Amino acid sequence: MTVLDDLRAEVAAHPSNAWATAAGWQPLVVGSPESRVLIISQAPGRKAQETGIPWNDASGVRLRSWLGLTDADFYDPANLAIVPMDFYYPGKAASGDQPPRRGFAEEWHPRILPALTEVRLTILIGAHAQRLYLGPRRGRTLTDTVRAAPSYLPLFPIVHPSPLTQGWRMRNPWFEAETTPRLAALVRDALT
């Protein structure tokens, strides 16, 4: 058993997660003490939760392309740790999924992040992760924060790769033209 295995068992046994455990869901958090890149994102999507594989959907395909990683490299815990703001699918909302539960990351992240001793780059995906980890340093808007991504290193904020952000990406072509190539280079550097 690793520290992450112990933590997953503790999360699954916690009364606040009884509904997910009753559904047969496991906490979707992965990584190892050797992980060089840390992804902090919203919460698993429905497909990821049902399959037990994080980022196992169209958003994950786009994310891997932005990072310049193959599936094998992405899912190798010696390369990447994936620590969402909530380790369970939060359910459907009117547009997209519901947000991660309040307080979940604040309770569990301090228990898991110290075990990830080799992390060189942390990618903050979406406003929830950026709000928690950048706090008052973040920009006035998500766009402002993402545009200034290099200024936050070794934290690197990006927009969520969901199909729901396609409009944002079309209005901000600089992101895929300039920011994602820079991110892929940072990931390569962190993994070598």
Side-chain angles (χ1 to χ4, degrees):
M1 290 284 281
T2 68
V3 170
L4 264 69
D5 292 331
D6 291 343
L7 181 73
R8 274 191 290 270
E10 190 176 341
V11 169
H14 196 275
S16 68
N17 302 318
W19 60 275
T21 302
W25 291 353
Q26 295 297 312
L28 279 188
V29 54
V30 298
S32 78
E34 295 83 32
S35 299
R36 303 286 177 91
V37 176
L38 169 60
I39 294 175
I40 300 178
S41 55
Q42 291 184 189
R46 180 191 51 78
K47 185 176 179 184
Q49 187 71 71
E50 290 173 352
T51 62
I53 302 171
W55 294 99
N56 184 25
D57 55 16
S59 297
V61 171
R62 183 171 292 111
L63 177 60
R64 288 187 287 283
S65 75
W66 289 352
L67 302 179
L69 295 176
T70 64
D71 289 359
D73 288 335
F74 182 85
Y75 287 111
D76 181 346
N79 290 334
L80 264 79
I82 301 170
V83 182
M85 295 292 289
D86 191 333
F87 301 165
Y88 296 103
Y89 172 60
K92 194 82 176 129
S95 174
D97 295 335
Q98 291 185 40
R101 290 175 287 170
R102 288 183 186 270
F104 188 95
E106 291 85 348
E107 180 173 354
W108 297 104
H109 284 199
R111 308 267 309 279
I112 192 169
L113 297 185
L116 304 174
T117 57
E118 298 301 316
V119 169
R120 298 174 178 175
L121 175 68
T122 299
I123 303 165
L124 302 173
I125 300 178
H128 298 288
Q130 293 162 19
R131 189 175 304 115
L132 180 62
Y133 284 92
L134 296 178
R137 296 184 304 143
R138 72 186 191 283
R140 190 176 53 80
T141 65
L142 179 118
T143 302
D144 293 341
T145 302
V146 172
R147 189 180 293 275
S151 70
Y152 299 110
L153 287 169
L155 305 175
F156 199 92
I158 64 171
V159 69
H160 197 286
S162 165
L164 295 175
T165 64
Q166 182 173 344
W168 183 92
R169 294 191 313 272
M170 290 176 67
R171 290 188 306 276
N172 297 283
W174 53 267
F175 176 73
E176 288 182 320
E178 300 164 18
T179 304
T180 60
R182 179 176 289 160
L183 175 60
L186 289 167
V187 168
R188 273 193 310 276
D189 288 348
L191 295 180
T192 57

